[in-house]
Amino acid sequence: PETINQSLRFEDGDSAYLYRTFSGAGNTKTWTWSGWIKRGNFDTYQNLFGTIDLTVTNRQNYLMLQNDGTIAFYNYTTSGYNYQLTTNVVLRDPTSWYHLVFVQDTTQSTSSDRLKMYVNGTQITSFSTANYPSLNFDGWINQNVGSGVRLGIGRVYPYNTSQYFDGYMAEVNFIDGTALTPTSFGETKNGVWIPKEISGLTYGTNGFRLTFADSSSL
């Protein structure tokens, strides 16, 4: 099994976050996000990953830990939600590392296959809200529509300034154009979901891997 030796500490009081500006559009129908997190503060809304474009009908597309510990996966404009998942599962253990995988693949013929969420290798199937995108819907993540649009990690850039992630992230992967399962990133050993060595992944146009191997201060 692989051991993850490095993580990045996000302190919400310091307004800490990462962002990336894409030079061109990637696949806006299909992508996978994977990351290991350990939570710090609770009882607040905290963004993990996503983007907001205020210049085009308030486009919002993000993954969020809500103030009750549930997980939300949204695509929204001023006219309403294009999709919305909110889990019944809660993440409220401050001692545990959680492996989260979020998949959008709107090319799937079955609506419930177009969005998938996994925690520690297990697909979440219990939702308090479940509205799925239309077939071949183009989301806002992976778009390139203006200089003010960036992909945020630990915050939805450039908005929601009070909703910073607080805790640790490790081994963050964004796969542009491919819908993957958690077995690309982890495995079960002795009944416990653990990381495994990542190899052979095709990251696509805008994909990336963050290992946080540089231990110097930012």
Side-chain angles (χ1 to χ4, degrees):
E2 178 77 2
T3 299
I4 299 176
N5 295 315
Q6 299 283 1
S7 62
L8 183 64
R9 175 73 167 100
F10 290 78
E11 171 57 64
D12 60 355
D14 294 335
S15 302
Y17 69 99
L18 305 174
Y19 71 84
R20 179 174 292 243
T21 303
F22 295 143
S23 60
N27 192 319
T28 54
K29 293 180 174 66
T30 305
W31 52 263
T32 302
W33 186 92
S34 166
W36 295 78
I37 70 165
K38 185 177 184 181
R39 301 201 60 183
N41 288 344
F42 293 83
D43 305 320
T44 61
Y45 290 93
Q46 299 179 24
N47 292 302
L48 293 176
F49 171 77
T51 188
I52 289 182
D53 178 12
L54 299 179
T55 67
V56 183
T57 63
N58 193 18
R59 290 176 172 177
Q60 304 183 27
N61 204 171
Y62 54 89
L63 317 175
M64 172 185 281
L65 302 173
Q66 302 202 114
N67 62 343
D68 58 358
T70 59
I71 313 167
F73 193 0
Y74 290 125
N75 184 289
Y76 175 81
T77 68
T78 51
S79 60
Y81 289 96
N82 294 302
Y83 63 68
Q84 180 184 15
L85 290 184
T86 305
T87 68
N88 288 313
V89 171
V90 297
L91 307 183
R92 296 193 63 84
D93 184 350
T95 67
S96 294
W97 280 93
Y98 296 103
H99 180 221
L100 306 182
V101 176
F102 300 86
V103 181
Q104 175 187 287
D105 184 6
T106 64
T107 68
Q108 294 297 313
S109 58
T110 301
S111 62
S112 59
D113 288 337
R114 296 171 196 160
L115 299 177
K116 294 182 179 180
M117 305 168 63
Y118 302 85
V119 175
N120 295 340
T122 300
Q123 184 175 352
I124 297 175
T125 57
S126 178
F127 300 100
S128 60
T129 302
N131 299 316
Y132 292 93
S134 59
L135 182 66
N136 292 319
F137 173 75
D138 288 297
W140 318 140
I141 288 175
N142 240 346
Q143 65 176 330
N144 179 45
V145 296
S147 60
V149 179
R150 295 171 175 172
L151 184 71
I153 298 173
R155 174 197 177 191
V156 176
Y157 191 92
Y159 196 52
N160 288 4
T161 55
S162 64
Q163 297 176 355
Y164 292 93
F165 173 66
D166 189 87
Y168 296 85
M169 285 193 194
E171 190 60 66
V172 173
N173 287 264
F174 177 59
I175 314 298
D176 177 1
T178 308
L180 299 178
T181 66
T183 56
S184 294
F185 312 99
E187 60 188 346
T188 299
K189 292 289 186 181
N190 299 319
V192 179
W193 184 256
I194 61 173
K196 74 176 186 181
E197 184 176 355
I198 293 177
S199 63
L201 296 185
T202 300
Y203 283 84
T205 301
N206 290 327
F208 54 82
R209 182 185 183 189
L210 302 177
T211 62
F212 308 121
D214 184 351
S215 59
S216 61
S217 296
L218 298 178

